[in-house]
Amino acid sequence: MTGLDYVRIGQIINTHGNHGELKIKAVTDFLTERFAPDKKVWIKMPDQYLPFTVEKIRSQQQFWLLKLVEINDLNQAQIYKNCDIYADTSSMPELEPGQYFYKDIMGITVQDQKRGVLGQVVDIMNLGPNDVWTIHDHQGKEILIPILKSTLIAVDLPNHVATVALPEGLIDEN
């Protein structure tokens, strides 16, 4: 299908059982909406996005087991191991002020009020009560920033910049 704009909502990390379930790591705040029965999702292959229909999803520890209508056995499921799952951005829900889609935050430049530019967001971890942004600085060093009301000061999407106020001791400055 052409003309769609996609947003990454999960990663297939393994298969589960003999009936084609996929073990996934979800990367969306809208899990129940994105993976509701009969919803369309796309699995990205090297040269195309393949459409699938959600049959059901259930939790398994920190991961999710996803059953797609079109995948009915282990052999079919194994084809998609390590692939990413996408949704069409036209189905994205409206956000409250101060909320942002992961796709808008990925790659954004993060600057601290005192230290200046820290680097760019390369990953977002949803750890329950708050997200944690993984930043790579200009030397490739990793910085983990908990996104709390006290740390995230502003997000300027048009200029692709976020301003934070890091607590003392969060970054080893030696």
Side-chain angles (χ1 to χ4, degrees):
M1 189 172 254
T2 59
L4 294 179
D5 189 16
Y6 300 100
V7 60
R8 184 172 170 258
I9 60 172
Q11 178 185 21
I12 301 167
I13 58 172
N14 211 339
T15 60
H16 181 80
N18 294 323
H19 301 289
E21 280 187 302
L22 302 168
K23 186 174 188 177
I24 69 165
K25 174 185 171 192
V27 291
T28 176
D29 283 336
F30 306 100
L31 187 109
T32 56
E33 292 91 348
R34 296 278 190 221
F35 294 105
D38 298 322
K39 279 285 193 169
K40 283 285 187 201
V41 296
W42 285 260
I43 296 178
K44 185 178 182 195
M45 300 302 285
D47 59 346
Q48 64 183 327
Y49 291 85
L50 301 175
F52 291 88
T53 306
V54 174
E55 186 174 314
K56 65 181 178 179
I57 192 164
R58 59 191 175 101
S59 65
Q60 185 193 50
Q61 298 164 346
Q62 75 266 30
F63 300 105
W64 295 88
L65 299 178
L66 175 64
K67 176 67 178 80
L68 300 172
V69 171
E70 298 83 356
I71 300 175
N72 294 304
D73 65 46
L74 177 61
N75 290 333
Q76 288 177 309
Q78 285 180 329
I79 295 168
Y80 305 106
K81 191 173 168 183
N82 299 318
C83 291
D84 288 329
I85 304 171
Y86 289 80
D88 174 11
T89 58
S90 69
S91 68
M92 295 173 81
E94 292 292 319
L95 295 179
E96 298 292 324
Q99 291 183 320
Y100 307 96
F101 290 112
Y102 286 180
K103 73 175 189 70
D104 295 331
I105 299 299
M106 292 299 292
I108 201 167
T109 298
V110 178
Q111 62 186 16
D112 180 64
Q113 287 182 317
K114 294 179 183 174
R115 297 171 182 86
V117 173
L118 298 173
Q120 291 187 310
V121 177
V122 296
D123 193 21
I124 301 171
M125 296 179 281
N126 182 327
L127 299 179
N130 63 280
D131 289 342
V132 174
W133 292 358
T134 303
I135 312 299
H136 279 178
D137 69 11
H138 64 281
Q139 297 172 333
K141 201 165 134 185
E142 187 174 89
I143 303 167
L144 300 176
I145 301 176
I147 301 305
L148 307 165
K149 288 182 181 181
S150 61
T151 58
L152 183 61
I153 304 304
V155 175
D156 180 354
L157 288 180
N159 292 312
H160 217 55
V161 175
T163 303
V164 296
L166 296 184
E168 291 299 319
L170 187 68
I171 296 178
D172 181 15
E173 304 213 30
N174 293 329

